Amino acid sequence: MFVIIFGPPGAGKGTQAARIVQAHPIPQVATGDIFRKNLREGTALGIESKGYMEAGKLVPDELVSKIVADRLQQDDCVAGALLDGFPRSLPQACFLDAWLAERGMAIGLVVHLVVPDSVIVERMGGRRTCTNCGATYHVSVSPTKVQGICDRCGSQVIQRPDDNEATVLTRLATYHEQTSPIVEHYRALGVVADVEGVGSIDRIGDHVIEAITKAFPV
Ligand code: AMP
């Protein structure tokens, strides 16, 4: 079962992905998390991707596609994966489709979280992210129990450098220009479920799980 959780930055992809992997035994493959881990560890990949991330731009397709292909070859992805933050451009989507097709597989569902830009800008201003495990919080909607400390792993929680307003606006523009056309690509294949991404996290989560159950009946 290969599922893409899709939507603009700040749509709640990571939050809903965490719920999906609790309900279904597939690993979450989050390219943004992979880049941030490499950045923390100072690897060549981290250094190469840093400038793009800080500017709110996409890391080049070839680089991201190779990372995802390497990750999907690992044993835990044999029964599928939940892709979070990938694909983010039509060339990435075509690469992914071809990579899966070569192995007799295909994307079974794209969960498209629909959130207006105005809501995104408000959300991102209050978003805080764990420096260690990547868990996300919001200062007023879903704060940490202890200020600045991750509930899940006890590490420091900060505002991501690319969550400042100017970079968020660039990320949104990048999303509309390069990423959102992917929805129509997958809609033509009949695998898109649009889910309203505004409202309570639990209610959105119920709709996400409903869409997955419908696409992959047991
Ligand atoms: P995210 O945490 O998914 O918002 O990703 C943070 C940043 O990592 C993005 O703004 C991009 O600079 C980079 N990134 C993550 N995934 C991709 C991707 N699939 N293609 C290109 N750049 C990506």
Side-chain angles (χ1 to χ4, degrees), residues 70-201:
D70 287 348
R71 179 66 188 89
L72 293 180
Q73 311 248 39
Q74 291 174 18
D75 290 346
D76 61 334
C77 294
V78 69
L82 174 63
L83 293 157
D84 167 4
F86 182 92
R88 244 179 164 107
S89 68
L90 276 175
Q92 291 180 19
C94 293
F95 172 87
L96 177 64
D97 294 351
W99 192 91
L100 289 172
E102 275 166 26
R103 289 156 184 81
M105 299 181 291
I107 292 297
L109 180 68
V110 177
V111 178
H112 175 211
L113 295 173
V114 181
V115 183
D117 285 4
S118 54
V119 176
I120 296 292
V121 172
E122 194 285 318
R123 268 190 200 173
M124 303 286 266
R127 181 157 91 164
R128 298 293 180 269
T129 306
C130 175
T131 49
N132 176 49
C133 73
T136 52
Y137 302 89
H138 188 280
V139 286
S140 53
V141 181
S142 53
T144 51
K145 292 195 182 90
V146 178
Q147 198 186 347
I149 302 295
C150 179
D151 294 353
R152 206 201 277 172
C153 75
S155 301
Q156 200 193 359
V157 166
I158 57 156
Q159 180 174 46
R160 266 170 50 176
D162 59 345
D163 276 353
N164 70 72
E165 193 172 339
T167 311
V168 167
L169 293 176
T170 309
R171 290 167 71 196
L172 269 175
T174 304
Y175 174 78
H176 290 299
E177 279 161 29
Q178 296 182 62
T179 307
S180 64
I182 294 175
V183 178
E184 297 319 315
H185 166 79
Y186 284 112
R187 207 183 293 286
L189 300 174
V191 292
V192 174
D194 296 304
V195 174
E196 166 86 62
V198 184
S200 93
I201 291 173

Side-chain angles (χ1 to χ4, degrees), residues 8-10 13 30-36 49-61 64-65 68 84-89 92 124 127 160 162-163 167 171 174 179:
K13 300 189 292 293
T31 42
D33 288 350
I34 296 174
F35 288 131
R36 279 185 290 280
S49 51
K50 188 174 192 268
Y52 298 102
M53 293 174 76
E54 283 178 356
K57 304 273 186 190
L58 294 187
V59 175
D61 290 333
V64 190
S65 298
V68 172
D84 167 4
F86 182 92
R88 244 179 164 107
S89 68
Q92 291 180 19
M124 303 286 266
R127 181 157 91 164
R160 266 170 50 176
D162 59 345
D163 276 353
T167 311
R171 290 167 71 196
T174 304
T179 307

